[in-house]
Amino acid sequence: MNHLFTPYKLKELELKNRIVMPPMCQYAVLNKDGIAHDWHYHHYVSRAIGGAGLIIIEMTDIDPDGRTTDLDLGLWSDEHIAPLKRIIDACHQYGAKVGIQIAHAGRKAEDAELPVAPSAIAYDDKSKIPHALTTEETKEMVEKFRLTAERAVKAGVDTIELHAAHGYLIHQFQSPYTNKRTDEYGDDPTLFGKQVIKAVKSIMPEKMPLIMRISAREYVDGGYGIEESIAFSKAYQDAGVDLFHVSSGGEGPILAHGKPGTHAAYQVPLAREIRSALNVPVIAVGRLDEPVLANAVIGNEEADLVAVGRGMLRNPYWALEAAVTIGKETEIPGVYGAGFSLKK
Ligand SMILES: Cc1cc2nc3c(=O)[nH]c(=O)nc-3n(C[C@H](O)[C@H](O)[C@H](O)COP(=O)(O)O)c2cc1C
């Protein structure tokens, strides 16, 4: 069975296959203005031509000070909408659906003069000590997520992904490692994430699914594990998340013995656990670039979708090659079939 190439539907998001291009920062903005340009256009549209079912545009920030670097994409103002729309429309033309990952880097905002975070704890000894957001400022941040999501919908996305992984702002709130607050956002470390989910959902079309990317375990000493992440994911699911994109780590500098595995499919067990504990669809990610393996992850019902990151940086036509490798007749565009020795 060619599980990888079966269609998938969640609410009104209909994908032609199970292959996702995960968000990958290009650090390619030209004038530190967050505006997408030709590099982004060609980068994403070539993966659409290359057969990806869902493309999730890289981490795109809700605030200039929420960027990991000044070269990130932004969506904090209306002038960001049209260049993104141009990319999204073109991807649609080639049969891919498009999501966008919206984010705030919090204390990982390297170029911000004064980064912000739940608590005034620096990422490492080379990073600035962030300003701890006041309760009022935290509420304003929720509103910035809402406004950004509204712009994403105007740009024509099919889904939105909230970045709650890799030690960025939502993760910083939910983790006891970075959240030492004494207000309501400390009493309930999932409160910020839940408020963001509800705010974003309030403007999304009802049938558009919301994705959340989580770090399902931390690697710092004493960091949370899968039990805790099942609990917070349940809270996020109840608040409105439709699909989890299961990653891990990124919360802080880690000791050699805590480093994540770099073997094939290393995060699939986490995706499987979240999927079965919450009875929720998941995207698995992390060294799944062997097509037979990616196909098996779907076939074994460990995940509903698989994301291939570095594999697609190497090869925009990863999905087309995967189809040929696992013997699936798929639509190879035009004369590209000749490149795959297919009879037309
Ligand atoms: C160049 C690069 C940029 C990335 N940028 C992001 C990002 O913007 N947001 C995110 O959640 N993950 C980001 N990631 C992580 C990927 O989405 C993915 O989870 C990771 O590369 C593991 O998948 P892979 O083994 O298929 O590459 C990035 C990875 C790479 C290589």
Side-chain angles (χ1 to χ4, degrees), residues 22-25 59 101 163 166 213 285-287 307-310 313:
M24 286 182 289
C25 271
M59 171 165 171
Q101 184 185 59
H163 200 344
H166 304 168
R213 191 168 230 210
V285 64
R287 295 222 179 265
V308 177
R310 286 163 289 182
L313 288 184

